[in-house]
């Protein structure tokens, strides 16, 4: 029931007694115009028209809201119908103009993420790029806004969050027994130990690694830590902010004598938000996110790493041209990106191959296997190699996605799954034109995503606002409504029947995953020992793995480092289950036609059938006397069930991860036991405890419990859906059909607002037609324009 309460509490139209709230002020026109600087003139015109529609709609809603408030201001009690209407108006007025589009740049250290962002935003060295040091050390979000200056906010771990990490770091460095020389050397070379020493020395100075937890709690950090745990940097120019920001987001290597480099506060940094003023390259509403490839040892930073990936609607998998053809790191990042499509909001995955200007011509010509045409220059070789890479990697990526996602997933329909870019050539243009670097192509993709989202948002917003004005205008003429319409008994019965049918459909959708779950459990039980053995073995034996394994146990089976591939024992041993359920799971939460196991299309079909039945019953019962209420009810159903889709997508992450969280919970005692082991042969003893603990839990039904918990999460989602539909539609029908029950009263005249809103609603079609016409003109002009001059051959 907790899920249901969580959902119902987020219903779109709660009755709130605090009705006299002032709506937030609208944005100044000059500020609004600045938002479109990143767009060509044709797209600017379309955006301005949509912005004008939205702005005028907000003004009409605000005027209507003020009139209603004044009409009930002196009343001792406000009828429920009026409360409903006022709260709906206020919710629409204060609804964000556009939820940000998060585009995640996901890749290993040195892949070129920061260089790519720098090129996209037209700031050559804004974010630090790889030299001799590992660069971006935390999640960095870059967006543009209407601020006058360049601004960065550096968010630090809270005091409690750092204490948790500090306790784990000191546990890693604590030796309870003397080790022999070989074991001591291996301990010193351990990756987890090196990183722990590094962090403590950087924050507390040399010798901090020899202090215990209580001593470090009393120690004063070298850097100044603000009480707000946020550091704000501002500058007039990009270069100035870049210099200020660099020490916070660049991971510096230690000097040869072991001393920490200049940045003392780096271990406390959780994430960084950078805002550019009025960018001509990145439109407001888009957030580019530089995401490190492996997560973090700190629980909060690691949680943020996963949540950041999951909230991205687009993921660009960034890979250096020299690493794109293989390697475990690349494969792990690709798998994590595909999982984001399953558990998060991601709808588009693409491979962005960077540094494509890097090519040794003689080696390329010797190994060249395509084409009969002679290569005359470095430029021709680069362009040919880029096309070959695109064809090869496009096929490989599409096959990988097909194995994990439903066959009709939109990502598989994308025209561009692979981009070949060169940030260096974008600036130098010695070999390639600006267009051939594909930086402008990525910018065009960003603009198109934002324009499409803005169009959908404004269309939905204006339509929903029109429905509310229809209802408001009808409140003052209810006395003439026929009684048989007001009771709507036929419609109520139909709603009850359709809800029962929807419950059956949901059960059928979820039933599709039962057999793959069972098959996956069988596979997991047959293969977990082999998988676990692979995870616990390193190519160099136990050397340098002792404390890393302890770190895995301290974090309940997960270890994320800046130098090692991510280790997640829980995910590894449940992977055979995910291999079986992934295509079915993706099918349940996909959009499309209402067939098979897809849940969202069935919800959409439920909405349309309800609207059609409402029309049918309304015509028989006297809709002709109240077309306003008809339109309101039809559009209100769209608003209610539209919110339902957002709820379903938010909950799918919990469902998807229920397998690994269940296994992690069951294995927690064995991880805790292993984490306590120290002294001679500790690494082998820890492995033995983990193996025996997993064997014991598997024998006691660990995988079967994980299966049951996932099915329970599906049931909770079903309960939330049906409770939402029942509660919201019942409230809406009661408010729409009741008269003389104290639900309504005579309100202020809003006919002028209604007429204005009717005009705006008609304007939606005109704006769409104008956009089509402009695109046609633009395409014609592009065809007629001369081609760009290419760089000289070299």
């Amino acid at each position: 029931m907790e899920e249901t309460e969580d959902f119902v509490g987020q219903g779109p139209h709660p009755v709130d007694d605090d009705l006299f709230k002032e709506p937030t002020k609208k944005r100044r026109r000059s500020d609004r115009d600045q938002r479109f600087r990143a767009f060509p003139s044709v797209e600017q015109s379309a955006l301005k028209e949509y912005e004008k529609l939205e702005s005028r709609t907000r003004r009409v809603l605000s005027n209507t809201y003020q009139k209603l408030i004044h009409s009930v201001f002196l009343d001792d009690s406000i009828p429920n119908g009026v409360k409903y209407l006022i709260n709906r108006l206020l919710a629409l007025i204060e609804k964000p103009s556009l939820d940000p589009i998060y585009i995640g740049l996901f890749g290993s250290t040195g892949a070129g993420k920061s260089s790519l962002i720098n090129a996209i935003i037209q700031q050559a060295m804004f974010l630090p790029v790889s030299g001799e040091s590992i660069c971006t050390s935390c999640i960095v979000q870059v967006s543009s806004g209407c601020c006058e200056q360049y601004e960065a906010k550096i968010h630090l771990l809270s005091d409690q969050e750092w204490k948790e990490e500090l306790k784990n770091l000191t546990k890693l460095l604590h030796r309870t027994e003397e080790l022999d020389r070989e074991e001591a050397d291996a301990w010193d070379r351990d990756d987890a130990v090196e990183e722990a020493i590094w962090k403590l020395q950087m924050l507390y100075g040399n010798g901090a690694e020899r202090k215990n937890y209580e001593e470090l709690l009393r120690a004063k950090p070298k850097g100044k830590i603000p009480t707000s745990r946020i550091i704000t940097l501002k500058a007039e120019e990009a270069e100035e902010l870049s210099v200020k920001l660099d020490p916070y987001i660049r991971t510096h290597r230690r000097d040869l004598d072991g001393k920490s480099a200049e940045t003392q506060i780096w271990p406390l940094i959780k994430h960084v938000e950078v805002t550019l003023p009025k960018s001509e390259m990145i439109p407001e509403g888009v957030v580019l996110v530089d995401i490190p490839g492996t997560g973090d040892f700190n629980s909060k930073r690691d949680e943020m790493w996963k949540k950041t990936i999951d909230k991205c609607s687009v993921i660009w998998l960034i890979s250096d041209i020299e690493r794109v053809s293989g390697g475990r790191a690349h494969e792990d990042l690709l798998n994590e990106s595909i999982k984001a499509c399953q558990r998060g909001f991601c709808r588009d995955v693409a491979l962005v191959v960077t540094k494509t200007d890097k090519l040794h011509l003689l080696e390329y010509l010797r190994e060249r296997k395509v084409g009969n045409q002679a290569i005359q220059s470095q430029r021709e070789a680069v362009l040919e190699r880029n096309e070959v890479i695109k064809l090869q990697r496009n096929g490989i990526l599409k096959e990988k996605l097909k194995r994990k996602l439903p066959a009709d997933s939109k990502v598989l329909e994308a025209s561009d799954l692979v981009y070949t870019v060169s940030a260096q050539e974008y600036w130098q243009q010695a070999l390639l034109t600006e267009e051939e670097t594909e930086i402008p192509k990525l910018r065009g993709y960003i603009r198109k995503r934002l324009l499409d989202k803005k169009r959908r948002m404004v269309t939905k917003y204006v339509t929903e606002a029109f429905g509310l004005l229809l209802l408001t205008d009808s409140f003052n003429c209810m006395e003439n409504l026929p009684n048989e319409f007001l009771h709507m008994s036929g419609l109520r019965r139909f709603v009850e029947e359709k809800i029962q049918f929807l419950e059956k459909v949901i059960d059928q959708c979820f039933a599709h995953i039962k057999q793959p779950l069972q098959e996956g459990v069988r596979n997991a039980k047959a293969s977990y020992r082999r998988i676990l053995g692979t995870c616990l073995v390193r190519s160099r034996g136990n050397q340098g793995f002792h404390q890393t394994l302890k770190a895995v146990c301290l974090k309940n089976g997960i270890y994320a480092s800046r130098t090692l591939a991510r280790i997640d024992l829980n995910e590894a041993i449940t992977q055979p289950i995910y291999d079986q359920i992934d295509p079915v799971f993706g099918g349940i939460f996909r959009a499309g036609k209402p067939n098979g196991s897809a849940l969202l299309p069935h919800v959409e079909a439920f909405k349309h059938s309800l609207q059609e039945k409402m029309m049918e019953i309304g015509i028989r019962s006297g809709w002709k006397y109240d077309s306003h209420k008809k339109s309101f009810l039809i559009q209100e159903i769209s608003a209610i069930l539209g919110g339902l889709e957002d709820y379903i997508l938010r909950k799918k992450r919990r469902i998807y991860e229920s397998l690994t969280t269940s296994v992690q919970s069951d294995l927690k005692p064995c991880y805790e036991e292993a984490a306590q082991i120290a002294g001679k042969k500790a690494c082998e003893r820890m492995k033995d405890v983990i193996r025996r603990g997993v064997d014991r839990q598997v024998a006691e039904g660990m995988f079967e419990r994980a299966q049951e918990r996932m099915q329970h999460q599906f049931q909770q989602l079903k309960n939330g859906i049906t409770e939402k539909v029942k509660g919201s539609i019942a409230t809406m029908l009661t408010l729409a059909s009741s008269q003389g029950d104290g639900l309504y009263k005579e309100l202020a005249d809003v006919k002028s607002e209604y007429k204005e809103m009717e005009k705006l609603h008609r304007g939606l079609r005109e704006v769409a037609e104008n956009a089509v016409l402009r695109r046609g003109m633009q395409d014609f002009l592009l065809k007629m324009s001369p081609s760009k001059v290419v760089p000289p051959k070299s």
Side-chain angles (χ1 to χ4, degrees):
M1 190 61 191
E2 180 184 349
E3 292 272 342
T4 302
E5 290 172 353
D6 175 41
F7 176 61
V8 174
Q10 297 178 31
H13 322 307
V15 175
D16 186 0
D17 289 328
D18 184 17
L19 298 174
F20 306 111
K21 181 179 178 182
E22 279 292 322
T24 54
K25 299 296 182 183
K26 62 183 180 182
R27 185 194 297 265
R28 293 197 310 270
R29 182 175 179 178
S30 60
D31 289 341
R32 292 199 305 271
D33 291 344
Q34 294 289 352
R35 302 174 69 188
F36 310 132
R37 293 178 61 181
F39 291 88
S41 58
V42 170
E43 294 173 349
Q44 279 193 27
S45 298
L47 274 168
K48 286 180 180 178
E49 288 185 343
Y50 281 119
E51 188 82 358
K52 191 182 296 182
L53 273 177
E54 181 191 347
S55 176
R56 289 180 177 176
T57 298
R58 289 184 186 276
R59 185 182 64 201
V60 171
L61 291 173
S62 184
N63 291 342
T64 306
Y65 176 85
Q66 295 295 340
K67 281 189 174 183
L68 294 189
I69 288 297
H70 288 141
S71 70
V72 300
F73 187 74
L74 298 177
D75 291 5
D76 293 330
S77 63
I78 302 174
N80 287 336
V82 179
K83 285 183 181 179
Y84 178 87
L85 183 58
I86 290 176
N87 281 321
R88 286 285 282 112
L89 283 167
L90 184 59
L92 265 184
I93 292 167
E94 298 197 333
K95 187 175 183 179
S97 180
L98 191 70
D99 291 330
I101 296 174
Y102 288 90
I103 299 179
L105 284 77
F106 192 37
S108 301
T109 298
K113 302 185 296 297
S114 298
S115 297
L116 181 56
I117 290 178
N118 289 341
I120 290 173
I121 67 175
Q122 195 72 16
Q123 300 289 347
M125 296 296 290
F126 188 69
L127 297 179
V129 296
S130 296
E132 295 182 355
S133 61
I134 301 171
C135 276
T136 313
S137 61
C138 60
I139 293 171
V140 179
Q141 299 182 3
V142 180
S143 61
S144 69
C146 288
C147 53
E148 296 298 325
Q149 295 179 300
Y150 290 85
E151 182 177 295
K153 289 187 176 180
I154 297 145
H155 298 261
L156 307 181
L157 294 171
S158 70
D159 187 53
Q160 190 58 42
E161 289 165 354
W162 172 245
K163 285 179 180 178
E164 178 199 333
E165 180 169 4
L166 184 61
K167 185 177 290 185
N168 286 325
L169 292 174
T170 53
K171 284 180 180 177
L172 282 179
L173 300 177
H174 182 54
R175 303 190 200 185
T176 57
E177 297 178 32
E178 285 298 319
L179 306 179
D180 60 37
R181 183 168 183 174
E182 182 180 346
E183 289 177 321
D185 288 344
W187 192 91
D188 289 334
R189 288 194 301 270
D190 191 288
D191 295 280
V193 169
E194 287 185 0
E195 186 161 342
I197 292 173
W198 186 14
K199 285 183 177 180
L200 294 182
Q201 288 183 346
M202 189 173 288
L203 194 60
Y204 298 107
N206 287 342
E209 71 277 12
R210 294 189 291 273
K211 296 180 180 179
N212 60 34
Y213 175 65
E214 288 73 20
E215 289 173 326
L216 289 174
L217 281 180
R218 295 191 296 270
K220 185 178 180 180
K222 291 163 61 179
K224 185 178 179 181
I225 302 171
T227 54
S228 65
R229 314 299 281 199
I230 296 176
I231 299 170
T232 302
L233 307 174
K234 293 184 179 181
E236 295 293 333
E237 300 295 334
E239 294 80 4
E240 183 186 354
L241 183 67
S242 179
V243 171
K244 292 180 179 180
L245 184 60
D246 186 284
Y248 293 99
I249 62 176
R250 183 193 293 271
T251 303
H252 295 267
R253 294 191 186 278
R254 286 178 292 165
D255 299 330
L256 293 176
D257 60 0
K259 292 182 179 178
S260 298
E262 62 178 297
T263 306
Q264 295 95 14
I265 208 170
W266 167 76
L268 295 178
I269 296 175
K270 188 187 293 186
H271 71 286
V272 175
E273 294 176 328
V274 179
T275 306
L276 314 176
K278 309 179 184 67
S279 171
E280 294 186 5
M281 296 300 164
I282 172 174
E284 184 179 350
V286 172
V287 183
L288 300 176
V289 192
D290 186 337
I291 308 174
T294 59
D296 196 273
F297 180 62
N298 177 272
S299 298
K300 289 297 177 183
R301 273 197 294 249
D302 198 59
E303 181 184 351
M304 171 165 283
W305 177 78
K306 264 199 171 180
K307 285 186 175 179
T308 300
I309 295 171
D310 289 347
K311 75 180 178 183
C312 292
S313 56
V314 178
I315 289 181
W316 290 342
L317 180 60
I318 313 298
S319 183
D320 184 333
I321 185 73
E322 295 178 346
R323 305 182 197 174
V324 72
S325 297
R328 179 186 167 186
H330 175 77
E331 198 66 20
D332 288 347
L333 292 172
L334 176 57
N335 289 334
E336 195 66 43
S337 302
I338 294 173
K339 284 175 185 174
C341 293
Q342 297 283 31
R343 68 178 184 238
F345 287 88
C346 183
R347 290 290 179 272
D348 201 353
V349 175
L351 173 64
V352 180
V353 183
T354 59
K355 308 178 185 180
T356 55
D357 56 285
K358 290 164 59 175
L359 180 141
H360 191 284
L361 184 57
L362 294 179
E363 287 184 6
Y364 177 75
L365 292 175
R366 186 178 67 244
E367 298 176 4
R368 183 170 175 249
K369 299 177 182 178
V370 296
N372 297 317
Q373 186 176 355
I375 292 292
Q376 302 294 327
S377 66
Q378 181 94 358
R379 164 188 159 72
E380 291 179 2
V382 168
L383 291 175
E384 181 184 80
R385 193 267 315 272
N386 287 354
E387 286 305 309
V388 171
I389 287 286
K390 279 188 177 182
L391 285 172
Q392 290 176 344
R393 303 313 299 183
N394 186 79
I396 293 170
L397 180 56
K398 187 164 283 191
E399 283 303 311
K400 182 86 173 180
L401 292 169
K402 281 181 179 178
R403 289 199 298 271
K404 293 288 186 178
L405 301 175
D408 57 353
S409 294
K410 287 191 176 182
V411 65
L412 295 173
E413 301 171 7
S415 57
D416 291 303
L417 279 176
V418 181
Y419 297 87
T420 50
V421 306
S422 171
Q424 181 168 314
E425 276 299 299
Y426 175 77
W427 300 112
Q428 297 179 354
Q429 294 184 33
L431 292 175
L432 306 175
T433 66
E434 183 176 301
E435 292 295 325
E436 287 166 346
T437 68
E438 299 204 349
I439 299 297
K441 192 174 184 179
L442 292 176
R443 287 189 190 134
Y445 171 88
I446 291 171
R447 293 196 304 269
K448 184 178 184 301
R449 290 280 302 201
L450 187 68
L451 186 57
D452 289 347
K453 187 170 184 178
K454 185 69 175 179
R455 174 182 52 79
R456 292 193 303 270
M457 175 265 162
V458 172
T459 301
K460 183 178 178 182
Y461 189 79
V462 173
T463 302
E464 193 172 345
F466 184 46
L468 279 178
L469 265 293
L470 286 169
L471 179 65
T472 308
D473 188 51
S474 71
F475 266 25
N476 290 327
C477 56
M478 291 189 60
E479 62 275 10
N480 297 322
L481 296 181
N483 289 331
E484 60 176 333
F485 163 67
L486 288 173
H487 288 100
M488 292 189 189
S489 57
L491 183 57
R492 290 182 187 280
R493 284 196 300 273
F494 177 78
V495 169
E496 291 171 1
E497 291 170 2
K498 292 303 291 183
I499 288 175
Q500 291 174 2
F501 176 74
L502 181 61
E503 288 179 319
K504 291 180 181 178
V505 168
I506 295 171
D507 285 336
Q508 290 170 2
C509 289
F510 296 165
H512 281 79
I513 208 165
K514 187 173 181 179
Q515 184 175 346
L517 259 177
Q518 292 172 340
E519 182 65 27
V521 166
R522 286 194 290 270
N523 292 348
K525 291 173 74 172
S527 60
Y528 77 90
R529 284 188 178 130
R530 174 183 54 79
I531 294 170
L532 193 61
T534 302
C535 293
L536 297 178
V537 172
R538 287 294 177 267
S539 58
R540 57 188 179 183
N542 292 337
Q543 290 188 355
F545 189 55
H546 174 190
Q547 296 302 95
T548 296
L549 184 55
K550 185 168 187 176
V552 171
C553 297
L554 285 170
K555 306 305 291 184
N556 293 322
I558 301 172
Y559 177 64
S561 156
R562 302 181 192 280
T563 55
L564 290 175
R566 185 180 178 87
I567 300 172
D568 190 333
L569 301 184
N570 313 299
E571 195 171 272
I573 61 179
T574 53
Q575 190 57 48
I577 308 180
Y578 285 112
D579 289 341
Q580 289 295 319
I581 70 169
D582 271 350
V584 180
F585 189 92
I588 290 174
F589 293 99
R590 69 169 175 80
K593 296 180 181 179
N595 51 38
S597 62
L599 175 59
L600 293 175
H602 282 299
V603 172
E604 187 71 12
F606 169 74
K607 178 185 77 175
H608 289 307
S609 67
L610 189 56
Q611 290 171 331
E612 289 171 4
K613 190 66 176 180
M614 189 174 292
M615 288 288 294
E616 176 191 327
I617 293 176
I619 291 171
R620 292 202 309 264
S621 303
W623 281 120
K624 59 184 178 181
Y625 298 109
D626 193 21
S627 61
H628 290 13
K629 186 167 289 184
K630 170 197 71 176
S631 299
F632 159 73
L633 290 173
I634 289 174
Q635 291 173 19
E636 198 70 353
I637 286 172
S638 290
I640 289 170
L641 296 180
L644 193 63
E645 179 178 347
D646 292 338
Y647 166 74
I648 291 170
L649 293 177
R650 285 198 310 271
K651 294 301 178 184
K652 75 171 184 174
R653 180 187 180 193
R654 186 180 296 182
I655 298 173
Y656 190 76
E657 292 185 337
S658 61
L659 295 174
T660 52
T661 54
S662 175
V663 166
Q664 185 181 48
S665 175
D666 286 353
L667 293 179
K668 187 175 181 180
C670 92
Y671 290 140
E672 291 174 345
E673 181 184 350
Q676 300 301 316
I677 295 174
K680 294 184 177 181
K681 307 296 181 184
C683 194
E684 283 303 324
R685 287 156 56 206
M686 280 192 286
K687 290 179 182 180
D688 187 55
V689 166
I690 293 171
R691 291 190 190 101
R692 285 188 287 105
V694 175
D695 281 341
R696 182 171 61 253
Q697 289 296 327
V698 170
E700 294 175 359
M702 178 177 73
F703 291 123
E704 287 81 2
R705 285 193 297 275
Q707 175 186 341
E708 290 169 4
R709 285 165 182 164
M710 175 171 271
Q711 290 174 325
H712 176 70
Q713 289 289 334
F714 274 118
Q715 184 62 40
Q716 294 248 316
L717 176 59
K718 172 192 168 182
N719 294 341
I721 292 171
T722 54
E723 287 295 323
K724 170 64 177 176
V725 172
K726 288 177 182 177
S728 298
I729 292 183
T731 300
M732 182 192 68
L733 292 180
T734 299
L735 292 168
S737 62
S738 298
Q739 182 192 15
D741 294 335
L743 291 172
Y744 298 110
K745 62 163 285 176
E746 187 172 344
L747 298 173
D749 185 4
V750 293
K751 287 194 180 299
S752 61
E753 285 78 13
Y754 163 68
K755 289 180 180 179
E756 175 70 12
M757 198 65 243
E758 188 177 34
K759 188 189 302 181
L760 292 170
H761 190 251
R762 286 199 304 268
L764 283 173
R765 177 177 294 181
E766 183 180 337
V767 171
E769 290 172 351
N770 289 344
V772 172
L773 180 61
R774 289 192 192 97
R775 279 198 299 270
M777 293 173 61
Q778 183 185 44
D779 292 343
F780 174 77
L781 292 173
L782 285 174
K783 289 177 183 177
M784 300 299 293
S785 64
S787 58
K788 292 188 176 181
V789 178
V790 301
K793 293 181 180 181
S794 59

